[in-house]
Amino acid sequence: TSHDLAIEAIDLHKRYGSTTAVAGISLGVHRGEVFGILGTNGAGKTTTVEMIAGLRRPDAGQVRVLGLDPAVDRGEVRQVLGVQLQSSALHGSLTVTELVGLYSSLYPRPVPTGELIKQVGLTEQATTRFEKLSGGQQQRLSIALALVGRPRVVILDELTTGLDPRARREMWRTIENLRAGGVTVLLVSHAMEEVEALCDRVALFVAGQVEALDTPQGLTDRAGVSSLDEAFV
Ligand code: ATP
C-alpha cells in the first residue's frame, strides 16, 4: 500500500516550451530503500527529482513524500527531506564550517557540524572558503548540507560525478550508512556500477518515461549481459 512508500510519483508530466522533459513518470520508493534513477542525458532524471523535491511544479501528476505534498506542505517536507543542492547556489565567501553551521540552524536536531564535515571527508577544508574548494569538495559539501537535518528521505543528483575514486568510495560508504540508519535514498546516476553497488531497485529513464524498473540484477538479466554497463552504454 502507499503507506509503505517514502516517495510516490504519479504520472508526472513536464514540458519546457516545445521540449517534453517528463512524459508520464510514475514511481514508488519504499521506506528504507535505496532507489536509483538511471538514464542518458536529457532523459528527464533531474526534472523528475526536482518535481519530487518540490523545486519544480509538474504540469500534471502528483507527488507524495512520506505522505506529504512538497508543493503544499513545504515546511514539513523540508524537515524530513534532504536534497543535494546545486553548489552554485552557495555563498562563495563562507567557509565549510560556516555553511554547515548556517544550514544546521534551520533544523531542531542537526548533525554536529564537525561530525558531518568528517563524514564527507572535508575536515582538512573546514576553514576553507567555499569558492576555494575543488569541484569534488564542493560536491561533498552539498551532500553534507543535504544530510545536516537528519532527513528521513534523501535525494541525491549525480552523487559522485567529478569525484576521484577514493572520494567516490567514501560517498558510497555514506550511502550505506544512511541505509543502515533506515533512511530512504533516491539517487540519480549516470554510473552503472554505482547503481549496481548501492541500489535495491533501479528505474531506467528513456525520453521522459520509465523504460524498465527492476533490481540491478533483474535489469542485467533481462538484457542478457553481465553488467548494466554492457547493457546500457
Ligand atoms: P542530464 O543527465 O543531462 O542531467 P536529465 O536526465 O537529468 O539529463 P533533464 O535535465 O531533466 O534530464 O532534462 C530533460 C529535457 O528537458 C532535456 O531535453 C533538457 O534539455 C530539457 N530541459 C531541462 N531543463 C530545462 C530548462 N530549465 N529549460 C528548458 N529545457 C530544459
Side-chain angles (χ1 to χ4, degrees):
T1 71
S2 58
H3 291 295
D4 301 325
L5 296 177
I7 298 172
E8 196 173 13
I10 305 165
D11 203 21
L12 295 177
H13 287 76
K14 184 72 189 180
R15 294 171 68 105
Y16 302 104
S18 62
T19 304
T20 299
V22 172
I25 294 268
S26 296
L27 293 175
V29 180
H30 300 128
R31 289 173 190 255
E33 186 173 34
V34 179
F35 190 100
I37 296 178
L38 200 60
T40 51
N41 286 328
K45 305 181 298 295
T46 295
T47 300
T48 298
V49 296
E50 286 176 349
M51 290 191 286
I52 290 171
L55 300 172
R56 213 178 263 293
R57 271 210 185 257
D59 297 334
Q62 289 211 330
V63 174
R64 291 289 179 274
V65 176
L66 299 177
L68 302 165
D69 181 345
V72 176
D73 313 307
R74 286 181 167 276
E76 283 165 281
V77 169
R78 197 172 302 134
Q79 292 298 324
V80 295
L81 176 67
V83 182
Q84 177 193 351
L85 298 167
Q86 290 308 314
S87 44
S88 57
L90 298 174
H91 201 292
S93 68
L94 296 180
T95 67
V96 168
T97 299
E98 286 168 345
L99 279 165
V100 174
L102 190 63
Y103 277 74
S104 296
S105 68
L106 302 173
Y107 297 95
R109 219 169 41 87
V111 180
T113 299
E115 185 182 309
L116 189 60
I117 289 172
K118 182 159 179 278
Q119 192 186 339
V120 297
L122 290 176
T123 301
E124 283 174 27
Q125 289 77 33
T127 59
T128 303
R129 290 166 189 259
F130 179 78
E131 64 201 1
K132 300 286 184 197
L133 297 175
S134 72
Q137 289 166 349
Q138 291 188 359
Q139 180 123 350
R140 283 189 264 166
L141 178 60
S142 74
I143 290 160
L145 298 178
L147 301 182
V148 70
R150 302 183 196 272
R152 303 310 304 155
V153 180
V154 178
I155 295 177
L156 303 167
D157 194 351
E158 300 291 343
L159 175 73
T160 58
T161 303
L163 296 189
D164 62 47
R166 209 192 79 190
R168 196 166 203 228
R169 279 194 301 277
E170 282 171 7
M171 214 40 80
W172 288 9
R173 207 173 311 132
T174 298
I175 302 298
E176 292 299 346
N177 289 340
L178 290 172
R179 181 211 295 279
V183 175
T184 304
V185 181
L186 178 62
L187 187 74
V188 172
S189 186
H190 272 119
M192 318 302 173
E193 79 278 13
E194 179 164 281
V195 159
E196 285 184 308
L198 295 175
C199 295
D200 299 303
R201 291 188 301 151
V202 185
L204 176 68
F205 280 26
V206 175
Q209 297 190 312
V210 178
E211 172 89 359
L213 199 164
D214 208 333
T215 60
Q217 186 65 55
L219 277 189
T220 305
D221 289 350
R222 205 186 284 208
V225 293
S226 62
S227 79
L228 291 180
D229 281 293
E230 292 178 48
F232 301 118
V233 170

